[in-house]
């Protein structure tokens, strides 16, 4: 119908009420920090200040071909506030990215 010049009839999409911003965590970058701060992150998760998804029951050692070991994220309705909150949590638990690139740089690209 679009080819014939008839616009599609679709339901109106409402704007998103919640946004989620997160970071995949790898053992080579974050294992030590996760081991030290896992109780703190679990507490934040239980108080709904952050969302922590651990993919393994124990934190593995880094390997040559890595897969993510966890995901840490925050949710809310204001994107910039969520990014600031997540960055503050990552800095508080001493989680940094490989190569010394500031975590904020990744979120500035969104």
């Amino acid at each position: 119908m679009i080819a014939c010049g008839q616009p599609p009839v679709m339901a109106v999409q409402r704007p998103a009420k919640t946004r989620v911003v997160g970071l995949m965590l790898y053992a080579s970058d974050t294992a030590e920090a996760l081991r030290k701060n896992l109780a703190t992150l679990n507490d934040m998760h239980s108080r709904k200040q952050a969302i922590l998804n651990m993919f393994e029951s124990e934190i593995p050692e880094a390997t040559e071909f890595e897969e993510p070991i966890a995901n840490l994220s925050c949710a809310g309705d204001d994107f910039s506030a969520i990014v600031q909150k997540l960055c503050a949590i990552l800095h508080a638990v001493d989680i940094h990215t490989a190569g010394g690139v500031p975590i904020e740089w990744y979120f500035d690209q969104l």
Side-chain angles (χ1 to χ4, degrees):
M1 300 231 354
I2 294 172
C4 295
Q6 295 293 322
V9 177
M10 300 174 67
V12 175
Q13 298 292 322
R14 293 182 296 207
K17 292 182 180 179
T18 302
R19 292 170 174 81
V20 178
V21 177
L23 188 70
M24 299 301 280
L25 306 177
Y26 291 84
S28 62
D29 300 333
T30 61
E32 185 178 331
L34 277 176
R35 285 187 189 100
K36 284 191 231 177
N37 299 296
L38 190 57
T40 303
L41 291 171
N42 280 328
D43 184 51
M44 288 179 166
H45 178 78
S46 66
R47 289 187 284 134
K48 300 193 184 314
Q49 293 178 337
I51 303 166
L52 177 66
N53 294 309
M54 294 294 296
F55 303 145
E56 309 223 2
S57 57
E58 294 184 16
I59 300 168
E61 294 299 322
T63 60
E64 184 179 0
F65 301 104
E66 288 190 291
E67 292 185 10
I69 59 172
N71 176 276
L72 181 62
S73 54
C74 292
D77 56 354
D78 180 18
F79 178 76
S80 60
I82 299 167
V83 168
Q84 290 175 353
K85 181 178 177 183
L86 181 60
C87 288
I89 291 169
L90 292 168
H91 288 299
V93 296
D94 201 30
I95 291 178
H96 305 286
T97 58
V101 177
I103 291 170
E104 292 83 0
W105 181 84
Y106 292 99
F107 298 119
D108 287 343
Q109 306 306 309
L110 299 176

